[in-house]
Structures are given as C-alpha cells and as structure tokens.
Amino acid sequence: MEIIKSFTFGGFPSRAVLYDKQDLLPEDTALFVADSHTKSLISRPEGLAEVILTPGEEGKQWDAVDKILKLAMKEGLARDSVICGAGGGVVTDMTAFAGSLYMRGCRVILIPTSLLAMVDAALGGKTGIDAGVYKNMIGSFYPAEEVRICPEILGDLPEKEYRNGLGEVLKTAIIGDAALLNLIKERRESVLARDPEVLAQIIRRCILVKGALVEEDLREKGRRAFLNLGHTFGHALEAVSEFRWSHGAGVVWGMGKALEASVRLGLAKPAWADEMKQLFLDYGYELEAPEDPVGILEAMKMDKKKQRGKLRYILPAGPQDIRIEFLDPDFVLEVLKA
Ligand SMILES: NC(=O)c1ccc[n+]([C@@H]2O[C@H](COP(=O)([O-])OP(=O)(O)OC[C@H]3O[C@@H](n4cnc5c(N)ncnc54)[C@H](O)[C@@H]3O)[C@@H](O)[C@H]2O)c1
C-alpha cells in the first residue's frame, strides 16, 4: 500500500491510499456493500454480512440506505464498526450516507471501482441519495476515513463509464494541475488503453487537487465549487437530451461552452481555449450538440444556483485560473448558439 495523502476535511480525518487488489478489503469490515456488478471485484471471507444493491442511478434511493441500516442493526454493529462500500459513485455515496446515519456516524471505508468514483465521488465527504428525480437531494457531509484505490480494477469497467470518469479527469487538470494536463496530452494512447501505471499517476494527481479544495472548503461555500466546471451546462444538456448524453460527455461539452463564454467575456485567451477544445476532440468528445439552445437555457434556469435573475457559472480563464461569474441569460443563449 502507498498513502497518496492524508487529509482533514472539516475536522474529519480522511486518507486516500493505493492498494494491491487482494488487499483492498479492510480486515475489520463488519458490513460490506456493493452492487451486483462490483461485488465480484473484491474477495472477501465467507459469512461476511453484505448488502448487494441494484446497480445504477435508479437505485440511489432511500430503500437502499434503509437496507444497509437494517442489516447493520441486525448484525449489532457498533459506532466503531467498519462499513465498507465497493463500487461506483452510487455505491460509495449511499454507503457513506448510511454510515453517517448509523449510530450518528460509524466508521466508513470506501473502495471506488469506477474511474469517476476514484477521482471524484469517493473522496471529499459528500454523501447522499436522490429523491425521486431530484439528484442528491438528501445527504450529509461525512468523509470516509479511508478511500482504497486499485487502478487495475478498472480493467472491466464499461467504456461509457470509463469516459464518464475521464471527463472529470480533464476537468480536474484544467482546474488545478498543469502537470496532469501535460500528462493527459502526452500519454493519450496509454490513458485510453487504461495503462495502470499512467492511471495511478492520474488518479493520484486528481485526488491531490480535489483534496486540497475540499480541505479548504468542505461545505462548498467557496472554491470547492470550481469542481462544478462544465456541470451547469452539462447537466442541462443531459436533462434536455433525456440522458442520451452521458454525464462525462455532457461535462466535457459543458467545458467547451464555459471556454466559449470565457473568451467572449475577455477572460480567456482564444488560443488557449482552442487548445483545450482540441484536446477534448482528440479524446473523442463531442463539442456540438443538436439539442435546442433555448431548451438547454430553460433547463439551466431550473438550476438552484441563481442570484438576481442571473445564473452562476464556473469559468476557466486560463490553466488553473478559475472564476465564478453570474451571467445574463441572453449572453448564455448566445454562447449556446455558438
Ligand atoms: N460524492 C461526490 O462528491 C460525488 C462526485 C461525483 C459524482 N457523485 C455521484 O456518483 C454517481 C456516479 O458514479 P459512477 O459514474 O461511478 O456511476 P455508478 O456508480 O452508477 O457506476 C457506473 C456503472 O459501472 C459499474 N461498475 C463500477 N465499477 C465497475 C468495475 N470496476 N467493473 C465493472 N463495472 C463497474 C456499476 O455497477 C454501474 O453499473 C452519481 O450518483 C453522482 O451523483 C458523487
């Protein structure tokens, strides 16, 4: 094992650690949570109490958390017992949420198995479930005491899911790490081939960027919001397309629009914005969407981050230079039409 870094998130100690595959399960796990795709990735002792969830966002609802809590009670877990969740962001969000509730907070260790969960979801303490169609409406801030990562486990992750994670990697590099951006540019073949060595470097760097922002701002009152780069545009496109656009593809398209807005506002140099857009295209992402710009704008207006009729956007002004701006809807419509 290799400790990537130990953090303190709002008073909670948390650390990210690289492990070999066979060592991923904590020895003192009292309750194991996974979904039916990820359960077989982790070897575990016979008889271990476990909850196997339905995979995917549709299952990110209260009844899944209820199952975890009921089994924790039945098994007589104490506050110092470990609940271990192994899966993508859905499993890690729900396991940590259940852990935050059980006896007002028991020990939680997470094993992210998707790239998105490794570089983003499992670290930083946001937990939760959806409420009907409303994403992440119910939750808590409760960082896992340890996030155990093994890039080798990404071997069988479906390509669409891998690309969802890569979208967040591109975002993280633009927000906070010039060396990561270079690595992504220079080692594209290896990244797309999921070379575990290159992936370990990428994941390590993403964790350092996210961890630093969360240490400074667990509850997203300030700079943690940078992590939403591309998301306001992207979520709206996902919704309008009725989720034909996947999350990662939407975020990268959204970063293209955020770059366009930055250039029009005179924040970013056109040459740099073009360079970033070319990188997205080189990775096979689409920067043009056939969806109606007016419909996308309407979807963004539903977004909760509004102030005096203007919408809040995270804009890249340059490498690792991110701004938060409130934009006029008419201006945003012009950007969407571009
Ligand atoms: N807490 C946070 O800070 C945070 C940040 C970003 C996203 N999220 C949440 O994360 C969720 C998305 O996470 P996700 O993209 O990992 O989706 P997911 O959890 O639905 O996983 C995607 C699919 O891949 C499967 N899978 C995962 N790992 C696998 C592997 N190694 N091999 C084969 N199949 C595997 C899963 O079973 C699932 O079917 C959303 O609910 C989102 O709200 C949370």
Side-chain angles (χ1 to χ4, degrees):
M1 63 104 122
E2 175 204 326
I3 298 174
I4 298 175
K5 194 161 186 317
S6 298
F7 300 100
T8 306
F9 297 139
F12 293 96
S14 180
R15 63 181 198 170
V17 186
L18 285 168
Y19 275 91
D20 290 335
K21 195 171 173 204
Q22 72 275 7
D23 300 330
L24 275 168
L25 187 79
E27 273 180 11
D28 48 357
T29 300
L31 174 54
F32 177 77
V33 183
D35 71 26
S36 54
H37 297 152
T38 62
K39 64 176 184 185
S40 56
L41 297 168
I42 311 296
S43 53
R44 49 199 192 279
E46 215 158 293
L48 179 63
E50 58 185 35
V51 177
I52 306 303
L53 302 169
T54 310
E57 192 71 31
E58 305 72 47
K60 199 178 175 186
Q61 300 286 335
W62 172 254
D63 57 347
V65 173
D66 188 53
K67 260 191 206 156
I68 301 170
L69 294 174
K70 287 204 169 111
L71 188 60
M73 280 187 268
K74 187 165 168 247
E75 293 289 319
L77 265 64
R79 191 179 275 166
D80 62 356
S81 302
V82 173
I83 300 185
C84 173
V90 169
V91 168
T92 57
D93 273 13
M94 289 202 291
T95 305
F97 183 41
S100 77
L101 297 175
Y102 188 69
M103 297 185 99
R104 300 196 179 89
C106 67
R107 295 176 60 203
V108 172
I109 295 183
L110 298 176
I111 306 174
T113 61
S114 69
L115 180 60
L116 184 137
M118 289 182 190
V119 299
D120 196 349
L123 187 87
K126 281 190 184 174
T127 85
I129 51 169
D130 303 336
V133 295
Y134 298 101
K135 280 205 69 182
N136 300 320
M137 277 301 276
I138 299 168
S140 58
F141 287 96
Y142 194 69
E145 68 175 48
E146 190 166 277
V147 178
R148 297 183 161 210
I149 292 165
C150 171
E152 200 191 306
I153 225 167
L154 296 173
D156 291 328
L157 183 70
E159 186 61 19
K160 179 179 154 226
E161 305 301 343
Y162 185 65
R163 297 185 64 76
N164 276 340
L166 275 186
E168 304 294 349
V169 169
L170 287 164
K171 173 203 80 178
T172 308
I174 292 176
I175 293 172
D177 189 339
L180 176 58
L181 200 50
N182 276 336
L183 185 71
I184 296 168
K185 277 186 211 157
E186 284 160 17
R187 302 295 304 274
R188 181 163 53 94
E189 298 294 318
S190 308
V191 174
L192 293 175
R194 310 185 191 188
D195 177 326
E197 190 51 44
V198 176
L199 278 178
Q201 287 184 55
I202 286 178
I203 293 162
R204 200 184 277 118
R205 288 191 165 275
C206 286
I207 281 178
L208 294 178
V209 172
K210 179 164 183 184
L213 287 169
V214 178
E215 276 202 313
E216 168 185 321
D217 178 24
L218 173 67
R219 289 174 183 275
E220 201 174 305
K221 304 260 189 252
R223 280 164 31 102
R224 182 173 186 164
F226 290 179
L227 294 163
N228 297 329
L229 174 62
H231 284 62
T232 303
F233 285 108
H235 282 158
L237 179 64
E238 277 181 78
V240 167
S241 75
E242 290 172 348
F243 299 91
R244 282 187 304 279
W245 282 75
S246 66
H247 178 70
V251 165
V252 177
W253 173 86
M255 287 197 288
K257 289 297 170 197
L259 284 161
E260 182 66 34
S262 290
V263 168
R264 285 171 181 241
L265 291 168
L267 295 173
K269 291 199 176 84
W272 178 72
D274 288 344
E275 190 194 328
M276 290 303 100
K277 287 184 191 171
Q278 190 55 51
L279 177 66
F280 303 158
L281 294 171
D282 291 345
Y283 266 89
Y285 289 99
E286 299 275 342
L287 293 180
E288 284 178 21
E291 280 72 13
D292 175 22
V294 176
I296 299 173
L297 182 65
E298 288 309 311
M300 280 192 283
K301 285 183 184 164
M302 305 287 287
D303 198 297
K304 51 190 180 294
K305 299 166 211 103
K306 261 192 276 184
Q307 207 173 42
R308 279 175 263 117
K310 294 190 172 191
L311 297 167
R312 190 178 79 152
Y313 289 85
I314 312 299
L315 299 183
Q320 298 81 55
D321 179 4
I322 307 299
R323 312 285 174 85
I324 299 178
E325 301 280 342
F326 286 86
L327 302 181
D328 198 87
D330 291 340
F331 171 78
V332 176
L333 187 59
E334 288 312 307
V335 170
L336 288 169
K337 286 179 178 169

